[in-house]
Amino acid sequence: MIEVDSRGRRCPLPIIDLARRLPTVAVGEVVRVLADDPAAANDIPAWCRMKAQEYLGSPAPDVYEVRRLR
Amino acid sequence: MEFIADPAGAPAYLDAASAAPPHPVARQALLAALADGWADPDRLYAAGRRAQQLREAAQGSVADSLGVRQDEVSFLSSGTAAVHAAVLGGLAGRARAGRTLVHSAIEHSAVLHAAAQAGDAVPVGVDLAGRLDLDAWRSEVGAPGVALAGLISASHEVGTVQPVAAAAEVCAEHGVPLFVDAAQSIGRVPVPPGWSLLTASAHKWGGPPGVGVLVVRKGVRWLSPYPGDDRHRPRPVGALDLPAVVAAAASLRAVLVEAQTEAVRLTGLVERIRATVAATVPDVEVVGDPVQRLPHLVTFSCLYVDGEALLHALDRHGFAVSSGSSCTASTLRPSHVLEAMGVLSHGNVRVSLHRGTTEDEVDRFLAVLPGVVAGLRAEAGM
């Protein structure tokens, strides 16, 4: 699984990190984002909705999983 | 050093939801009342009686504007103070029923702070457009131990008008008083009846800052949370800024005369902003209900953009706007309103218009915005 470590980075940087890594993720594959900015919990699912990607949830604190759909 | 400025024109103030520029009537009334209404209205000599007459006239005028009784209207030192008095006094008056405040998840932070101090707060969620979940409201208001319910008339952050009439019906069924924070509606759009307590803030409608209005309907139990003589009627803590109160009352009257025409005009300008921003700025989300909304307020979020940087960039171009992004708040947390809706919280901009806002200002803002957003994205490597 591809991991993006955005810990210590303020929003919107974790979202920018995720968007920039997306081209390296195969369609159908899952990318895991590590982010401790409080806005990430809200903005990662919102980004998925806007960009038509699948938000899989937060399996642990400060960890978010996204599946590339397109 | 070369000075590079955008020759966009005069500065445009687009943050009326924080404070509207004073209405001309507010200026006139303020100056007149400063000359005539500076004395303590509770004193018995001539100057005091004159001040008392002014206070009562202002109270009567605001009551008339809001369609309530004169003795139901109190003035406090700000909209926030009025909200605190409504929540704390409303909960205290119903202590025998319980200590729970049921409130929408998108209330102004003044409601949440007051609730945190006084009792148990139970938030009720909203949908993606920012509208109250009425089913959840029904079950929470009907729960045991509910002393008070609180619903904002329309969201101060995204403009979505709330189902106040339906929420009030639910409250009436369960005998729970409803507090409506109407700061963004008063002077612009009517607020449906059925509430027990209502607050407003004069500088949101074009009155001076430092005047809050609290209405407690007859028969509603309210108990002062402050030290003071009269425990059952809201009173300002300390001296009232009577000249400002007079100006608030006069400007509300003037604003209401124009309100319908202005609502139509500003609704059109907001519609233009909603449509143009969505069409000219890539990766943007215009939030809030597109139809059931305040006439003067629109909010959008731009992906990959830092809200504070966007605010400063727009300020350099002469545009004053506001933002709910976490980096612009003192807390480092994103706006609880945007969070409750589940919409993007970074790159957030709230534009709110007033009677002085021109079509030209809106068009200049719309011309400048796409380049500003693109520039910030390029700096961030997007």
Side-chain angles (χ1 to χ4, degrees):
Chain A
M1 190 188 305
I2 293 180
E3 197 169 87
V4 178
D5 188 354
S6 298
R7 283 173 297 187
R9 284 162 71 74
R10 290 270 166 79
C11 260
L13 297 176
I15 313 299
I16 291 176
D17 296 342
L18 169 61
R20 291 175 76 169
R21 284 295 288 280
L22 196 75
T24 68
V25 180
V27 171
E29 205 180 336
V30 174
V31 56
R32 171 176 278 195
V33 184
L34 311 181
D36 49 15
D37 185 286
N42 180 70
D43 284 8
I44 291 176
W47 177 87
C48 291
R49 186 170 45 73
M50 288 174 74
K51 303 301 279 183
Q53 308 295 348
E54 187 184 2
Y55 177 63
L56 297 176
S58 176
D62 300 340
V63 179
Y64 306 92
E65 289 183 352
V66 173
R67 187 193 309 279
R68 182 173 178 190
L69 295 183
R70 43 177 229 151
Chain B
M1 194 178 78
E2 196 184 359
F3 179 66
I4 302 168
D6 191 304
Y13 180 81
L14 303 175
D15 192 20
S18 291
H23 191 283
V25 165
R27 292 168 186 267
Q28 292 160 14
L30 185 62
L31 289 174
L34 272 174
D36 215 14
W38 48 267
D40 185 336
D42 291 330
R43 295 292 175 259
L44 298 178
Y45 37 75
R49 289 199 302 274
R50 178 72 194 122
Q52 191 182 15
Q53 282 170 356
L54 280 174
R55 183 177 64 189
E56 279 169 15
Q59 214 173 1
S61 173
V62 168
D64 193 44
S65 293
L66 299 179
V68 299
R69 290 167 50 135
Q70 181 169 338
D71 60 358
E72 295 174 331
V73 174
S74 310
F75 297 110
L76 288 108
S77 60
S78 68
T80 298
V83 165
H84 289 167
V87 172
L88 298 175
L91 286 172
R94 290 258 303 161
R96 261 185 276 174
R99 47 180 275 124
T100 301
L101 172 77
V102 172
H103 63 85
S104 86
I106 59 164
E107 293 303 297
H108 190 278
S109 55
V111 173
L112 308 183
H113 290 147
Q117 185 178 316
D120 307 318
V122 175
V124 174
V126 296
D127 62 16
L128 194 60
R131 190 188 332 280
L132 182 73
D133 178 346
L134 271 172
D135 290 334
W137 177 265
R138 187 168 287 113
S139 60
E140 294 299 352
V141 168
V146 175
L148 184 67
L151 178 62
I152 196 163
S153 58
S155 169
H156 60 299
E157 282 199 37
V158 303
T160 303
V161 170
Q162 299 302 312
V164 170
E169 261 178 52
V170 172
C171 289
E173 278 168 34
H174 296 283
V176 171
L178 174 65
F179 158 51
V180 170
D181 166 11
Q184 292 300 338
S185 299
I186 296 299
R188 297 187 184 274
V189 288
V191 177
W195 45 266
S196 298
L197 304 106
L198 176 138
T199 56
S201 176
H203 70 150
K204 312 288 189 193
W205 72 60
V211 180
V213 176
L214 168 60
V215 184
V216 181
R217 299 313 306 260
K218 269 277 173 267
V220 174
R221 291 178 59 87
W222 184 93
L223 195 62
S224 175
Y226 312 115
D229 301 335
D230 185 348
R231 300 283 293 155
H232 299 283
R233 295 306 304 168
R235 284 178 60 83
V237 177
L240 192 64
D241 184 349
L242 188 55
V245 165
V246 170
S251 58
L252 179 57
R253 197 172 273 274
V255 160
L256 285 174
V257 171
E258 309 164 339
Q260 269 185 313
T261 321
E262 271 300 284
V264 171
R265 187 179 79 87
L266 298 183
T267 295
L269 290 177
V270 162
E271 186 49 48
R272 184 183 304 184
I273 297 173
R274 293 184 70 97
T276 309
V277 167
T280 59
V281 181
D283 287 327
V284 73
E285 185 171 40
V286 183
V287 299
D289 194 294
V291 181
Q292 297 297 315
R293 60 167 170 83
L294 289 168
H296 66 297
L297 193 158
V298 51
T299 299
F300 52 88
S301 296
C302 308
L303 265 181
Y304 316 128
V305 173
D306 178 285
E308 187 177 356
L310 184 51
L311 235 64
H312 287 312
L314 288 169
D315 183 44
R316 282 194 294 276
H317 285 274
F319 297 104
V321 298
S322 144
S323 171
S325 295
S326 53
C327 37
T328 64
S330 49
T331 55
L332 286 180
R333 287 206 62 85
S335 142
H336 67 276
V337 174
L338 302 175
E339 248 180 353
M341 294 168 65
V343 299
L344 198 69
S345 72
H346 70 248
N348 181 262
V349 170
R350 179 186 72 180
V351 176
S352 49
L353 316 179
H354 53 89
R355 67 190 291 280
T357 305
T358 63
E359 210 176 328
D360 176 59
E361 286 176 335
V362 168
D363 286 343
R364 281 196 284 118
F365 173 76
L366 290 172
V368 163
L369 180 71
V372 168
V373 171
L376 291 171
R377 282 177 178 158
E379 275 174 38
M382 286 306 294

